[in-house]
Amino acid sequence: SSGINAEYGLHSFGRKVAMQEKIDIIEEMEHLPLTGDVNCSNPDHVLYICENYKPKAKLGEPYEVYFGPLVGRSNRAVIDKFSVKKRLYIGRTTMDAQLSFIMANLAM
């Protein structure tokens, strides 16, 4: 089929959403004018729905919903790779890996 291959995902903040509920929410997007196949192994685009729920909300609608392309993913394994505990030499300016990555991202 013509169009773009896409992967769809859903992430919720403040509430755990069951897998079947995630599938139902993603399937509700079929009215959008997106053509092409769903391809999770090699997608052209990764589109996400992010839902924000009030703290400690059990049920109900989210108070904010965002939809858009995934800009980047986290690689938390790098933090362990550059851990201070694993360094051969620790100098006066040695900084914790997580803090140094945050500072590097702020500088970008």
Side-chain angles (χ1 to χ4, degrees), residues 24-60:
D24 293 342
I25 292 169
I26 291 170
E27 286 178 349
E28 287 178 11
M29 297 184 346
E30 68 182 20
H31 68 280
L32 296 175
L34 301 172
T35 59
D37 298 325
V38 173
N39 184 346
C40 294
S41 60
N42 189 21
D44 294 328
H45 298 280
V46 180
L47 303 171
Y48 254 81
I49 301 169
C50 293
E51 297 182 333
N52 285 336
Y53 290 88
K54 299 271 185 197
K56 299 182 181 179
K58 300 281 189 239
L59 298 170

Side-chain angles (χ1 to χ4, degrees), residues 68-103:
L70 180 66
V71 180
R73 293 186 192 256
S74 167
N75 187 357
R76 299 199 58 84
V78 176
I79 293 173
D80 187 50
K81 180 180 176 183
F82 292 103
S83 174
V84 176
K85 295 175 186 175
K86 294 183 178 182
R87 295 185 192 173
L88 298 175
Y89 175 77
I90 299 177
R92 291 180 288 143
T93 59
T94 300
M95 186 181 297
D96 177 62
Q98 193 167 3
L99 182 58
S100 65
F101 290 138
I102 291 171
M103 290 176 65

Side-chain angles (χ1 to χ4, degrees), residues 10-12 17-27:
L10 182 131
H11 191 81
S12 62
V17 178
M19 183 57 73
Q20 186 58 48
E21 190 177 351
K22 287 182 181 184
I23 292 169
D24 293 342
I25 292 169
I26 291 170
E27 286 178 349

